[in-house]
Amino acid sequence: MLCSCGCLQKAGGGGKRRSSSSVEDASSSRMSELESNSRPQTTEAASTRTSSLLQLFHRKGPKCFRKPQRPKSPMQAEKTIRAAIFIQKWYRQHQARQEMRKRCNWQIFQNLEYASEQDQAELYKFFHELIKHMPQAAGTGNKSPTSTCTTLLEESEALMEEVGDIVSTKVEIPIMKSHIDLLIDVFRKKRSNRLHPKYVVLILREAAKSLKEMPNLSMVSTAVSQQVTVCGDLHGKLDDLLVVLCKNGLPSTSNPYVFNGDFVDRGKKGLEVLLLLLSLYLAFPNAVFLNRGNHEDSVMNARYGFSREVERKYPRNYKRLLRLIDEVYRWLPLGSIINNRVLIVHGGFSDNTDLDLIKTIDRSKYVSILRPPLTEGQPLDKAEWQQIFDIMWSDPQSVPGCIPNTLRGAGVWFGPDTTEKFLERHRLSYMIRSHECKPNGHEFTHDNKVITIFSASNYYALGSNKGAYIRLNNQLVPRFVQYISAASQAKKLTFKQRVGIVESAALKELAVKMREYRDELETEFKKYDPDDKGYITISKWCYVMEKVTKLGLPWRLLREKLAPGTDSKSVNYFRTLDLLDTDVILEAEADGTSVMDALYANKTSLETIFNIIDADKSGEITLDEFEKAIDLLDAHMPGDTSKSEMLEKCRMMDLNGDGKVDLNEFLEAFRLSDIHRKQQQEADIRKRSTTRSSINQPPSDSVTKLANIISKNTLIIEQDIDPMDCESKIIEPTK
């Protein structure tokens, strides 16, 4: 049994001669073993032999009992190598396909996000042009910051008296560590009673008072703590915030934090994230530094879900709570500087950014960064407004230069040369920013002088990205900690399911965006299908998709998903349109918020537009005032609508027929226009379904199957948050 075991061969020597000697020794050993087995054995000898075999087995393992492998023939060896090469080739192709799908999904998510923000930035451009070319705008607008602050504080006192006292989770001033533990316990629960509005008001009011005393750029030092932790965007992801606090510890004088903006929007627990961060700031004022991001803005909140979240959670008091939240926003610092060497701002900078000027800005004027800070009797300083806009909205680029950010529609793209000059001018070593989701939670650019940190994991969908935070030591060397929350949920899914969830989420968002251009797509498709057969070439289909949506996506790769079941030479564009009319896409569209919805929900923006057009400050817009505004806008912001059509719309706003439009009529016109738009969309859907039924052409099985897949892969995690349910990884710094 042990004749050919390599463990019985003696060490030393080599070559064929030694090998044959070993075989002879093994054979003689085997013969002596057989002879000894043929003789009668004592119990002691048998036990000794068994013990030696067991020792041999434990020392060398079972391989010493295997049969010797005969050398393979050249033909067999060639087959083995060919099989290995075939498997390797298949595996590499499989990995390449998966990577291509991953990058395609990521591009969909990112381009849709930027396209959505571009819509919001159009509002900023509209205000900018109005102010630039209409002289009367300079003296128009909001109340002074002091009077607004006083009014809101009076409202908060009235609200606290109105809601009264209850036996519930109790928060007192000053906020202590015990209150923080209590808030975390309340917020973690899936369906527990929410924090009473009295205590929400208390936290918001005290935070606004305290933030008012902070400078525009907070100065952070590691002299005592020897370290500092920097967190990026959280976007309402309470589970990620709790993971950071659980892994890294609560703030203290020895463990300070900088939270770099974008606390709310998109996530479902934005209010809890904001209240917990403000409570941490009040409990540890010298160890928590909060920076403002581009989503700490009422205009953005109306579009991206935070305003609706507050209304849903506090339906009776949400209007006053939102005004208090605006008061917190206006006093948030614009950035931080660590040891006078590392700048932390939310977006970036431009070639015109001046930190000395930013330090002197009255930031309380900017309740919304997208809306001009017009105050009575004071002209607007557009250069000052641009300074804040650039540090909130800008992104780095790999090529030199500083150009307008056309993808977002706001801020700039700044290159490595701009970074080098900016850091040298202000004597800084490097800068830390957020503002962009990264697959691994962080990214180095510009020769490691710009670090992007993003702390919201599973941002687009479960498993789409990791979150991260940075720990800087007293030498300001960064050390990253990556993590992904809800790890147990991801582990229950197969690899195919995880990829399917991310892909379905991407296709769903893309289809909802395409719904905005549904009629334009159908019109353009039919231009290349004169016989109305429903088929056009792939090149024409891709051309139409890009021409209408302007999303810059790899449409050829997406053709199988957006027009399923078609051949490789042509595309049945009816299936693309059918997909946009499925129930799952219509429901997703209904859950979203359009630009018109956001604009009407944030009536302050409409009031500002009204006051700018109202040149004589009479509180009413005449036809002449409206015509002058149209002439100015047409000269500097030309559009597709003619002047006569615009004037006719102004006449339609005059609901009582007195020849003038007051503020109520102006707001009501927007509301009625939006209702009409939605009713028209519903009528078009019914008409198309009736037409399909009359010609007996229901949606294809492939379209129905894809819609079902998208619906099933919409995974919603509804459970108590467990900060320990995460996977984390520490990334050590490299030289």
Side-chain angles (χ1 to χ4, degrees):
M1 184 168 81
L2 305 178
C3 62
S4 62
C5 179
C7 60
L8 296 179
Q9 298 176 9
K10 296 182 180 179
K16 295 182 179 179
R17 184 177 179 181
R18 182 61 186 167
S19 177
S20 62
S21 175
S22 300
V23 173
E24 291 173 2
D25 293 343
S27 300
S28 60
S29 298
R30 177 61 178 163
M31 291 299 296
S32 61
E33 181 183 346
L34 291 173
E35 290 175 2
S36 63
N37 284 341
S38 62
R39 304 189 195 105
Q41 300 179 0
T42 61
T43 306
E44 183 178 355
S47 63
T48 303
R49 191 179 306 281
T50 304
S51 176
S52 63
L53 288 174
L54 288 174
Q55 290 176 2
L56 178 66
F57 179 81
H58 287 304
R59 188 170 67 253
K60 298 294 184 180
K63 65 181 180 180
C64 60
F65 295 100
R66 293 174 185 166
K67 293 181 179 180
Q69 293 185 358
R70 296 178 180 178
K72 294 181 179 180
S73 65
M75 186 174 294
Q76 288 177 323
E78 184 180 356
K79 287 183 178 180
T80 303
I81 293 173
R82 285 179 178 274
I85 293 174
F86 177 79
I87 293 172
Q88 185 184 59
K89 183 179 179 181
W90 173 87
Y91 178 74
R92 287 178 176 175
Q93 289 177 344
H94 173 75
Q95 290 296 96
R97 284 194 297 269
Q98 296 302 322
E99 182 65 21
M100 187 168 59
R101 289 175 67 186
K102 180 180 176 182
R103 292 189 181 188
C104 184
N105 293 334
W106 189 264
Q107 189 174 357
I108 291 173
F109 282 129
Q110 202 164 55
N111 287 16
L112 288 177
E113 181 180 0
Y114 291 166
S116 180
E117 290 182 346
Q118 194 174 45
D119 293 340
Q120 288 299 116
E122 289 298 322
L123 179 63
Y124 156 75
K125 292 179 181 178
F126 176 71
F127 279 127
H128 187 271
E129 293 299 324
L130 279 177
I131 294 166
K132 183 178 179 180
H133 301 291
M134 301 186 75
Q136 71 271 17
T140 306
N142 307 326
K143 298 178 181 178
S144 66
T146 306
S147 63
T148 305
C149 183
T150 304
T151 304
L152 285 171
L153 290 177
E154 291 174 355
E155 283 189 6
S156 67
E157 294 286 355
L159 180 57
M160 290 186 66
E161 292 177 3
E162 175 187 328
V163 298
D165 199 3
I166 60 172
V167 180
S168 179
T169 304
K170 194 170 183 179
V171 179
E172 298 175 342
I173 297 297
I175 294 179
M176 310 294 289
K177 182 180 179 299
S178 58
H179 298 128
I180 300 296
D181 296 334
L182 192 61
L183 285 174
I184 291 175
D185 186 58
V186 170
F187 292 160
R188 281 182 59 232
K189 298 300 175 60
K190 179 175 63 175
R191 289 188 177 88
S192 63
N193 293 326
R194 293 189 175 90
L195 193 64
H196 195 279
K198 171 180 178 177
Y199 303 117
V200 176
V201 170
L202 184 67
I203 294 171
L204 293 174
R205 186 186 64 181
E206 293 301 317
K209 285 182 181 178
S210 181
L211 289 168
K212 186 177 180 180
E213 306 301 321
M214 295 291 291
N216 289 347
L217 296 176
S218 303
M219 306 307 293
V220 185
S221 173
T222 60
V224 176
S225 61
Q226 302 297 305
Q227 65 170 5
V228 63
T229 301
V230 182
C231 295
D233 296 24
L234 288 166
H235 279 298
K237 305 280 288 184
L238 179 64
D239 48 352
D240 290 310
L241 175 57
L242 296 183
V243 166
V244 173
L245 297 177
C246 178
K247 293 286 184 183
N248 201 58
L250 286 175
S252 65
T253 53
S254 60
N255 189 27
Y257 280 84
V258 178
F259 293 95
N260 198 25
D262 277 12
F263 313 132
V264 299
D265 279 337
R266 294 196 172 97
K268 293 185 176 181
K269 290 185 176 288
L271 185 59
E272 287 82 354
V273 169
L274 179 64
L275 292 175
L276 183 54
L277 288 176
L278 294 177
S279 300
L280 288 170
Y281 166 73
L282 293 172
F284 311 103
N286 297 319
V288 175
F289 301 90
L290 305 177
N291 294 344
R292 186 173 184 176
N294 65 310
H295 279 265
E296 277 68 63
D297 189 306
S298 56
V299 176
M300 297 292 286
N301 295 163
R303 176 73 188 276
Y304 293 102
F306 182 59
S307 297
R308 287 191 297 168
E309 178 191 340
V310 177
E311 181 180 1
R312 185 178 69 253
K313 293 176 178 178
Y314 297 96
R316 292 179 56 193
N317 313 109
Y318 76 94
K319 291 184 179 179
R320 280 182 283 189
L321 290 178
L322 287 174
R323 284 198 291 270
L324 278 173
I325 290 170
D326 282 345
E327 189 66 18
V328 172
Y329 288 167
R330 75 193 309 168
W331 291 113
L332 281 171
L334 305 176
S336 303
I337 301 178
I338 304 177
N339 293 356
N340 294 317
R341 288 175 53 196
V342 178
L343 173 68
I344 306 175
V345 292
H346 182 73
F349 42 75
S350 69
D351 48 6
N352 295 320
T353 301
D354 185 353
L355 294 184
D356 294 329
L357 175 59
I358 289 174
K359 290 177 182 178
T360 63
I361 290 175
D362 179 11
R363 68 180 188 272
S364 66
K365 295 188 298 185
Y366 297 89
V367 182
S368 169
I369 300 169
L370 289 172
R371 194 169 58 239
L374 303 175
T375 54
E376 294 178 356
Q378 297 181 11
L380 173 66
D381 188 340
K382 292 189 285 291
E384 178 185 281
W385 187 19
Q386 191 66 43
Q387 291 278 328
I388 295 181
F389 214 88
D390 286 343
I391 65 173
M392 295 292 172
W393 281 85
S394 297
D395 295 310
Q397 63 176 359
S398 58
V399 297
C402 184
I403 59 176
N405 192 330
T406 55
L407 199 59
R408 290 188 188 270
V412 300
W413 276 315
F414 58 97
D417 57 333
T418 306
T419 298
E420 189 71 32
K421 293 176 184 177
F422 178 84
L423 295 178
E424 183 179 354
R425 185 167 68 250
H426 294 94
R427 299 179 181 179
L428 298 169
S429 300
Y430 61 91
M431 67 94 66
I432 299 174
R433 63 181 295 276
S434 304
H435 196 43
E436 287 183 287
C437 180
K438 299 298 178 182
N440 293 318
H442 72 281
E443 183 182 68
F444 282 101
T445 50
H446 295 182
D447 196 22
N448 297 344
K449 292 182 179 179
V450 174
I451 300 176
T452 299
I453 189 72
F454 196 85
S455 299
S457 66
N458 304 315
Y459 179 58
Y460 296 121
L462 182 65
S464 63
N465 68 286
K466 297 176 182 177
Y469 58 89
I470 311 176
R471 295 189 67 177
L472 306 178
N473 60 16
N474 58 348
Q475 300 299 319
L476 302 181
V477 177
R479 182 189 188 195
F480 299 90
V481 180
Q482 285 180 340
Y483 57 85
I484 186 165
S485 59
S488 63
Q489 294 292 323
K491 286 179 179 178
K492 293 177 183 178
L493 304 172
T494 64
F495 177 77
K496 186 176 181 180
Q497 287 175 323
R498 288 198 296 270
V499 173
I501 287 174
V502 176
E503 191 170 61
S504 296
L507 290 174
K508 186 176 180 180
E509 287 198 24
L510 177 57
V512 171
K513 182 66 176 178
M514 288 168 58
R515 280 282 311 164
E516 299 177 15
Y517 311 103
R518 202 262 183 221
D519 294 336
E520 296 175 53
L521 285 170
E522 186 172 11
T523 302
E524 290 294 324
F525 284 143
K526 289 186 175 181
K527 287 181 181 179
Y528 300 101
D529 181 27
D531 298 331
D532 201 23
K533 294 182 178 179
Y535 287 89
I536 58 176
T537 63
I538 294 177
S539 299
K540 296 298 183 184
W541 183 85
C542 295
Y543 172 76
V544 170
M545 294 295 288
E546 181 57 31
K547 177 185 176 182
V548 175
T549 64
K550 297 180 176 63
L551 292 175
L553 294 174
W555 297 110
R556 284 185 177 272
L557 294 177
L558 293 170
R559 190 259 309 171
E560 293 182 2
K561 298 296 182 182
L562 298 177
T566 55
D567 56 45
S568 58
K569 295 182 179 180
S570 60
V571 178
N572 186 343
Y573 63 84
F574 282 150
R575 295 185 178 179
T576 303
L577 302 175
D578 286 341
L579 177 63
L580 304 185
D581 293 338
T582 54
D583 291 339
V584 63
I585 303 303
L586 293 175
E587 290 171 4
E589 183 189 32
D591 292 338
T593 306
S594 66
V595 178
M596 186 67 73
D597 294 331
L599 189 61
Y600 183 74
N602 194 353
K603 296 183 180 65
T604 312
S605 297
L606 292 175
E607 291 173 2
T608 304
I609 295 172
F610 180 88
N611 291 331
I612 291 174
I613 299 175
D614 181 18
D616 59 2
K617 305 296 180 294
S618 62
E620 296 175 323
I621 299 176
T622 63
L623 196 62
D624 291 337
E625 290 173 333
F626 202 86
E627 187 173 0
K628 290 178 182 178
I630 292 173
D631 290 337
L632 282 170
L633 290 175
D634 190 50
H636 302 285
M637 295 180 67
D640 298 331
T641 308
S642 65
K643 180 179 178 179
S644 58
E645 290 175 329
M646 293 290 290
L647 289 173
E648 182 61 29
K649 289 180 180 180
C650 181
R651 293 188 186 95
M652 292 172 63
M653 290 183 186
D654 182 16
L655 301 179
N656 59 7
D658 62 353
K660 299 177 182 179
V661 177
D662 60 22
L663 180 60
N664 290 330
E665 290 174 324
F666 190 74
L667 296 176
E668 184 67 8
F670 275 88
R671 189 182 71 83
L672 293 175
S673 174
D674 195 39
I675 291 175
H676 176 72
R677 176 181 60 85
K678 292 179 179 179
Q679 289 175 344
Q680 187 63 40
Q681 287 179 345
E682 294 174 359
D684 290 341
I685 293 170
R686 288 194 298 268
K687 181 180 178 181
R688 284 192 289 267
S689 63
T690 304
T691 304
R692 286 294 176 87
S693 300
S694 63
I695 62 177
N696 197 19
Q697 188 183 6
S700 67
D701 293 338
S702 55
V703 172
T704 306
K705 182 179 179 181
L706 178 59
N708 292 334
I709 291 173
I710 293 175
S711 179
K712 288 179 181 178
N713 282 338
T714 304
L715 183 64
I716 300 175
I717 301 173
E718 192 69 27
Q719 60 181 13
D720 291 353
I721 296 174
D722 182 7
M724 297 302 294
D725 181 16
C726 69
E727 291 180 352
S728 61
K729 176 183 177 182
I730 298 175
I731 302 176
E732 297 292 344
T734 56
K735 293 184 180 180

